[in-house]
Amino acid sequence: MYHQKHKMKKIYLLLLLGIFLIGVVSSATFCCEKTTSKAWCQNVNEESKCDDDYRSVSTFCASTSYCQIGTCVNQKEGTCSRSTQVVCENNKGFWSNKLMEELPQCKAGCCFIGSSTAFVTEVTCNSFPSKYKVDVGDVSFDAKINDELSCLEKANPDVEGACVYTEGFVKKCTRTTKSECQTNAKNSALSEVEFHEDYLCSAQSLGTGCGISEETKCEGDDVYFIDTCGNLANIYDSSQADDEDYWTRIQEPTCGNQEGNKNSASCGDCDYHSGSKCQEKKTGDSVDKGDYLCRSLDCKDYRGPYTGSSTGIATSTKYPLHEESWCATDSETGFERTKDEKIEIVGTGNNRNPVGNTQVRLICYDEEVTQEICSTERQEICAESTYENTNFKVSACKKNVWEDCVGIGTKEDCEDVEKRDCSWITSYGYSFSSEGFKDTNSKGICVPKYSPGFNLIEEEEGVVDGESCTVASTTCAVVMVKKGLDNHWKCKEEETPIKFWGITWKEGFENNCDCIGGEGENDGGEEWAKDLNNICTQLGDCGIKTNYVGKLGYSFDPIKITTIE
Amino acid sequence: MSEKRGMNSRGQVTIFIILAIIIVAIGVLIYSFYPQIKTSLTTQQQNPPSFIQSCLEEKIRNTVELISEQGGSIAPENYALYNDSNVEFLCYTTEYYRPCLIQQPMLKPHIESEIINEIKEDAVACFNSMRESYVKQGYSVDLTEGETLVELLPQRISTNFNYSLTLTKGENTQKYNSFVVLLDNNLYELTAIANSIIDWESTYGDAEVTTYMTYYHNLKVEKNVLSDGRKVYVLSDRNLGNKFQFAVRSQVWPAGYVSPKA
């Protein structure tokens, strides 16, 4: 009986505890169907952030029916995306709680459109005839092909050539594909339709009115000759402008170099990935024939920060290439190259990761440099690497993994680049311990390699920012004495305490003359504070630090001296 | 007397010469300005489809431009302020560390319906104005209002007004069952790219812009990072100059050290 009562008591207690815990959890998180800032399905910590006209429950959104994530299907277009039920259905989509891969209507296959292919869903494939103005009969779908690469490989470009026909007693010619020419043959207005595979309309043997010309035009990325009828001929090569053979059959270009023929006056064989594309000539450009050339897409007019130049600034000879990306910073801190050819943003002492500094990724595309700011407050850093042979740079903004640095106790763990972005530095004997930042005769200390910045303007709820600098605040107790006629306080290790620095004096405190320059000395703790400031500045926007415009900060009271008689 | 007669005949000849010069000058002027004169005379005789195209094209173009600047909405609700524009968040989370939730999974149909709503009144005004114009020209006009459909298509935006119009003048009757206004614009392609970026953002918390530029040679993709981890993507066509921009807040890390309470 006693045991039964005891058991029941336990169950009630557990139930009470459970109810209490549910209360604690639910009071912390609410799922708003729509927030007051009009965002759908958000977890918030106060119910007042939820729009009164919509549902809100004291739980995480993933636990609700309406804000659960599933798949939203656009049945008209045949496209699928991850979405919550309420958002999908409000927009007249079909929602399913299944994953995209599990829904047959989201399964992509190979869509054949004439001679080309696309890896899309069947519904999307069926919408192509009306969108691209092609015959329904020219579009088909194969669901068995279930990877994009295999689908693209199935593309079978139709053979091209000269389609010769008679229209209104006049013999005409168009460069086209075989199938298009066959379609032309069905046109009652045209007669004597013939397809000449691999031939150009300017071929003498075809006897059409289309002849050789010096005109060129852009087709894709390349420069092409056009005949007197406006048909595409072969790729522009000024040395073959009058060569009858070059105007007779479709040929691969043989002119120029393998680097895209940037700004070449004679060759129109451009290559986008090598940094050139067909564009109209501008004043100052030189072209042997026609008005188009393979324009260089390199950013040769750019004169901003560029790690590929020894000066750090792009010049007329060292400028970023098309598709190149590199790192920079908006502060006045320079760059320094490390042995492994990676760029590290460094400074010395106070200059390291200055306050307000943000890392930036610069990208050169189509003669234009654009910038991508890595997350502010150095939550992201820019990483850059260089191709050995070409010196070509590629970069990316990556997460600055600094959060667990201060908890790491060994150099090996600290500098494990696979796991974190931390540095092992001299700690002057100090380390982080359960009792605070103390002199423990430590040989080193682990700190963030790229010190995180704080948002001091808009301090977020729960984000401590500036306060966290106190993690590296410390106290050093020093016993000072005055001797004989000397009126100055000096450190004396074996003396009983007369005056010391620190907030409270306890039995067992050692006298730390090192903090003021050694026994018999008194520099006011300046050197000690300077040493510890180097640790401080690495932890974040702490200590006396330079800001992003190069201005050195200061502290009204970096060292507090408390005297206890 | 004969001297007087001689004087008169000389005067007449001079007047004839002056008249001849004036007539020739008028002829030259008419010949020179004929196309313009012809155009101004024929404006009133513009056919109904051209009337609607010229009346609504500008409005549709401006609407598309505004919608493209504001992330696909005429009046964005949850937005980031960027370059004086309110740019709608198409993927958003208020939380830290988590990828965003897609806020507009049906972007294309949403844009199409936004365009329809915005041009609705102007369309009615244009059709009324066309009716009045033909009534003034002596036509008997029978106009029946119908549905308006907007479709983003490859390289173009098609706006179809399913209005039926019958013009009658004497024994001559003309019938029109729909009016189409076409706009050269590649919003179809830009929204497809936007959907792909949103997909990456909602799955991985970020998207790589160079991937798109490497594949589509006329496309420019910019990722502009604002405060508090908000991003505005600007997609533009280097040749046509069309632009589409939208905002995202995804996978944000808080500044500084987070207290265990958070």
Side-chain angles (χ1 to χ4, degrees), chain B residues 84-182:
Chain B
D84 296 329
S85 288
N86 296 336
V87 186
E88 183 90 60
F89 281 104
L90 296 185
C91 198
Y92 186 80
T93 179
T94 52
E95 296 172 89
Y96 288 121
Y97 311 111
R98 291 179 185 279
C100 56
L101 277 164
I102 294 176
Q103 302 287 300
Q104 188 45 265
M106 310 275 281
L107 185 59
K108 186 177 164 283
H110 172 70
I111 291 173
E112 289 166 348
S113 74
E114 288 283 275
I115 297 172
I116 292 172
N117 290 337
E118 185 63 10
I119 63 167
K120 209 183 281 174
E121 284 178 18
D122 290 69
V124 172
C126 276
F127 277 98
N128 286 340
S129 157
M130 182 176 71
R131 186 210 318 257
E132 282 166 27
S133 159
Y134 279 98
V135 167
K136 275 183 191 168
Q137 290 170 50
Y139 283 92
S140 161
V141 182
D142 179 20
L143 180 70
T144 312
E145 203 174 309
E147 202 186 0
T148 302
L149 294 169
V150 171
E151 201 175 3
L152 304 188
L153 293 166
Q155 303 289 333
R156 64 200 191 278
I157 295 173
S158 163
T159 310
N160 205 323
F161 301 94
N162 288 326
Y163 285 57
S164 67
L165 171 76
T166 309
L167 299 174
T168 314
K169 198 175 194 180
E171 288 181 358
N172 184 17
T173 301
Q174 297 170 47
K175 277 190 178 179
Y176 300 90
N177 289 322
S178 72
F179 297 82
V180 181
V181 177
L182 283 174

Side-chain angles (χ1 to χ4, degrees), chain A residues 175 198-204 211-213 215-216 222-227 231-256 261 266-269 289:
Chain A
R175 179 173 166 174
D198 284 343
Y199 271 83
L200 294 168
C201 287
S202 48
Q204 296 265 345
I212 290 172
S213 90
E215 295 293 307
T216 56
D222 297 317
V223 189
Y224 277 81
F225 275 124
I226 50 171
D227 64 28
N231 291 304
L232 277 190
N234 283 314
I235 281 182
Y236 165 65
D237 176 358
S238 63
S239 67
Q240 302 200 66
D242 302 317
D243 184 344
E244 199 184 314
D245 182 53
Y246 201 64
W247 287 87
T248 301
R249 279 180 173 268
I250 296 171
Q251 298 173 27
E252 284 298 314
T254 52
C255 63
N261 298 298
S266 56
C267 186
D269 187 16
K289 315 259 181 211

Side-chain angles (χ1 to χ4, degrees), chain A residues 34 37-43 69 74 77 81-83 87 91-93 131-133 221 272-273 277 361 365-366 368 372-373 377 379 399 402 453-454 460 462-465 468 539, chain B residues 77-78 92-96 101-106 108-110 153-154 156 188 202-203 206 208-210 213-214 217-218 220 222-223 225 228 238 253-259 262:
Chain A
K34 200 171 190 179
S37 62
K38 308 298 176 194
W40 291 97
C41 290
Q42 300 291 322
N43 292 316
I69 296 176
N74 180 339
E77 297 284 326
S81 57
R82 272 157 47 89
S83 169
V87 173
N91 287 283
K92 294 171 188 163
K131 278 180 185 164
Y132 293 96
K133 294 178 181 171
D221 290 332
Y272 189 76
H273 299 297
K277 191 168 79 171
R361 178 193 185 202
Y365 260 84
D366 274 48
E368 191 182 2
E372 182 184 318
I373 296 170
E377 290 95 24
Q379 294 306 309
K399 169 81 181 93
W402 59 269
F454 299 149
E460 291 283 334
V463 180
V464 182
D465 282 355
S468 56
L539 292 174
Chain B
E77 287 191 321
N78 181 29
Y92 186 80
T93 179
T94 52
E95 296 172 89
Y96 288 121
L101 277 164
I102 294 176
Q103 302 287 300
Q104 188 45 265
M106 310 275 281
K108 186 177 164 283
H110 172 70
L153 293 166
R156 64 200 191 278
Y188 174 87
S202 69
T203 312
D206 200 12
E208 173 55 50
V209 297
T210 55
M213 293 198 282
T214 302
H217 298 179
N218 294 322
K220 182 179 167 186
E222 293 167 275
K223 179 165 50 177
V225 178
D228 190 33
R238 291 182 194 274
W253 293 281
Y257 294 77
V258 179
S259 91

Side-chain angles (χ1 to χ4, degrees), chain A residues 435 438 477 497 500-510 564:
Chain A
E435 292 165 19
K438 289 196 72 175
F500 56 90
W501 296 350
I503 302 160
T504 50
W505 175 263
K506 284 179 185 171
E507 281 301 320
F509 267 14
E510 284 178 24
I564 300 173

Side-chain angles (χ1 to χ4, degrees), chain A residues 82 391 424 530 562:
Chain A
R82 272 157 47 89
N391 216 27
W424 186 260
K530 206 171 151 187
T562 308

